[in-house]
Amino acid sequence: MRESHKVDQNLIECEKHGTSQYCIICRHLREKIGLEYFAIQAEPAEPAQAWCAACDHVLEQERGWSDVADQHADWELYCSQCYAESLETHKLVSWVEGSSPED
């Protein structure tokens, strides 16, 4: 796992890539390859976010991001380059508009 830490409200320091905007990714996309995933593009006040189809199923069952859905996702902050590299090993299902997992 890459070592990183948040340096301010929107930035993260990655030991591999340096300082960049942070992104949020579920544990399944971090631990596996070849999964289908959903994503939200970064906006000025919100980071880019991605979660796998299994997390999306829990999200639908919970009717939104809840403690149960957040626990299932086990979110982690990634730098924007680590995020992009991780997602290259998966298949995008859909871009999503809506509330973030941090809401």
Side-chain angles (χ1 to χ4, degrees):
M1 170 132 358
R2 295 175 183 97
E3 182 67 28
S4 60
H5 63 277
K6 208 167 171 183
V7 294
D8 78 12
Q9 187 174 3
N10 298 318
L11 300 177
I12 192 167
E13 182 68 30
C14 173
E15 73 178 23
K16 182 177 178 184
H17 299 110
T19 304
S20 72
Q21 294 292 109
Y22 77 88
C23 303
I24 302 172
I25 192 167
C26 79
R27 72 178 166 97
H28 309 100
L29 295 176
R30 297 188 314 263
E31 296 171 354
K32 300 178 182 179
I33 60 171
L35 300 177
E36 292 183 337
Y37 73 94
F38 298 82
I40 296 175
Q41 293 182 342
E43 295 183 13
E46 297 292 331
Q49 301 156 44
W51 60 94
C52 69
C55 287
D56 197 65
H57 179 72
V58 174
L59 171 65
E60 287 180 16
Q61 287 180 324
E62 291 291 306
R63 296 188 176 142
W65 291 111
S66 65
D67 289 344
V68 171
D70 285 338
Q71 260 186 328
H72 181 79
D74 188 21
W75 301 108
E76 186 169 315
L77 303 181
Y78 263 28
C79 82
S80 57
Q81 288 179 290
C82 288
Y83 175 86
E85 289 171 6
S86 179
L87 294 182
E88 287 176 1
T89 68
H90 302 288
K91 182 182 178 199
L92 177 66
V93 172
S94 177
W95 289 104
V96 177
E97 291 185 31
S99 63
S100 71
E102 291 191 328
D103 285 350

